[in-house]
Amino acid sequence: MGVRIVTDSTADLPAEFVQELDITVVPLKVHFGEEEYLDWIDFDSDSFFAKLQSSPIIPRTSQPSPADFESVYKPLAETGDSIISIHISAQLSGTYQSAVIAKNELADCDITVVDSKTGSMAMGIAVIEAARAAKAGKTKEEILAQLNSNIDKVKVFFAVDTLEYLQKNGRIGKAAALLGGLLNVKPLLSVKDGIIVPKEKIRGKEKAKERLIEIVAEEFGEDVKGKAVILHGNEPKEAQKLYEKVKERFAFSEVIISSIGSVIGTHLGPGVLAIAVLPE
């Protein structure tokens, strides 16, 4: 008997971590009109952004149903394993609630559903660490203690080209305060208590990238250690530059580059650059 880690596709986990750490990922859905696609199954990041930028339709997203979660939980639980199911902020999606409903339908199974209070690889890095702890044979209680600590510590800061997508999809949260800004002003955002909040405005993309690195130093100190993730939406070259600067300046034990998938991409739009940090 062990512990199995389940998450949802908004974690934007690179495929190698999913395979290596035996993480089960439940996909959300993206809808272009009547067309329905499974996040990270029917779309990878590149194909989604290509469609987003060519389609006249603004896509919408939907969460997995409780039945989707039941179909995942049942075979995992039949082995006698415990399940820790970690999901995008309940303030941003109904995914967590669907998972809770499924857990309640399977009262005989040992399932704990966790609200990450964040999303994308800010959640993903906490999922990875939980899966590593499960692989190392830690108990469910030990993994949950580590997971909850990591959720409290992890932070993400992101620069978006426009707030248009967040506004149209109703996920703008307190970042609405940044609407109607000056030309070429790039909003810098964060996630706090599960909702998207404004950090500041920066004029121009180059300055926004530099500011992301400065924010890491300000928030965590120059001598910060731990794990970092560079996230991007259709910006691989810029993400690589940011990765190199982060590696050069800070002593993180691991820095991962990850693409934003179709669900997160629907809400943030193309051109996103972000840094998530899980300090030691």
Side-chain angles (χ1 to χ4, degrees):
M1 288 173 63
V3 179
R4 298 296 301 269
I5 303 299
V6 176
T7 191
D8 62 73
S9 61
T10 67
D12 291 335
L13 290 166
E16 61 267 26
F17 289 97
V18 175
Q19 292 158 7
E20 176 194 340
L21 297 172
D22 203 16
I23 300 167
T24 301
V25 181
V26 181
L28 277 75
K29 302 179 184 76
V30 176
H31 308 263
F32 281 87
E34 297 301 310
E35 298 173 1
E36 180 181 284
Y37 302 89
L38 295 175
D39 189 24
W40 286 112
I41 294 174
D42 297 325
F43 273 139
D44 63 13
S45 184
D46 291 343
S47 59
F48 166 72
F49 281 110
K51 186 169 180 65
L52 179 69
Q53 290 171 301
S54 65
S55 174
I57 300 168
I58 293 287
R60 61 183 176 84
T61 62
S62 61
Q63 74 246 25
S65 68
D68 291 334
F69 278 107
E70 283 190 52
S71 69
V72 166
Y73 292 156
K74 279 180 181 175
L76 293 178
E78 281 170 3
T79 65
D81 289 342
S82 300
I83 296 168
I84 298 175
S85 197
I86 309 159
H87 299 292
I88 185 173
S89 166
Q91 301 269 16
L92 297 174
S93 169
T95 301
Y96 169 82
Q97 191 57 39
S98 282
V100 169
I101 292 168
K103 164 204 157 71
N104 291 339
E105 287 293 317
L106 301 172
D108 294 337
C109 303
D110 181 13
I111 305 167
T112 300
V113 182
V114 178
D115 179 356
S116 75
K117 301 185 178 69
T118 188
S120 194
M121 274 292 283
M123 170 173 76
I125 193 66
V127 170
I128 286 168
E129 292 303 296
R132 285 171 171 164
K135 279 278 187 186
K138 297 285 183 71
T139 66
K140 185 181 182 185
E141 291 70 26
E142 288 171 329
I143 297 167
L144 284 171
Q146 173 193 286
L147 174 62
N148 289 323
S149 172
N150 286 342
I151 286 170
D152 288 342
K153 291 189 296 185
V154 72
K155 291 184 180 181
V156 62
F157 305 97
F158 48 104
V160 297
D161 264 358
T162 173
L163 293 171
E164 171 192 3
Y165 294 91
L166 278 168
Q167 185 184 24
K168 285 183 176 177
N169 285 288
R171 303 305 200 281
I172 197 161
K174 294 181 180 178
L178 296 180
L179 282 171
L182 299 171
L183 193 65
N184 200 31
V185 165
K186 300 303 177 189
L188 284 182
L189 309 172
S190 187
V191 178
K192 185 176 183 182
D193 299 326
I195 63 170
I196 293 168
V197 296
K199 180 71 177 169
E200 56 197 63
K201 294 179 183 179
I202 300 293
R203 184 181 286 278
K205 197 154 194 172
E206 284 303 314
K207 287 184 180 176
K209 285 187 297 183
E210 294 298 329
R211 186 69 189 118
L212 283 172
I213 294 172
E214 292 304 323
I215 288 171
V216 172
E218 291 168 11
E219 292 279 338
F220 300 101
E222 292 285 354
D223 60 348
V224 61
K225 293 180 175 63
K227 312 292 172 72
V229 183
I230 310 301
L231 282 158
H232 72 94
N234 207 31
E235 291 279 2
K237 290 180 182 176
E238 296 299 335
Q240 185 63 36
K241 289 179 193 173
L242 202 53
Y243 170 87
E244 287 163 7
K245 289 179 180 178
V246 166
K247 289 280 283 185
E248 183 181 328
R249 180 157 178 179
F250 302 108
F252 291 115
S253 59
E254 183 175 31
V255 182
I256 299 165
I257 297 180
S258 179
S259 302
I260 289 167
S262 60
V263 168
I264 298 294
T266 291
H267 300 303
L268 297 184
V272 179
L273 283 170
I275 299 179
V277 175
L278 177 60
E280 280 184 354

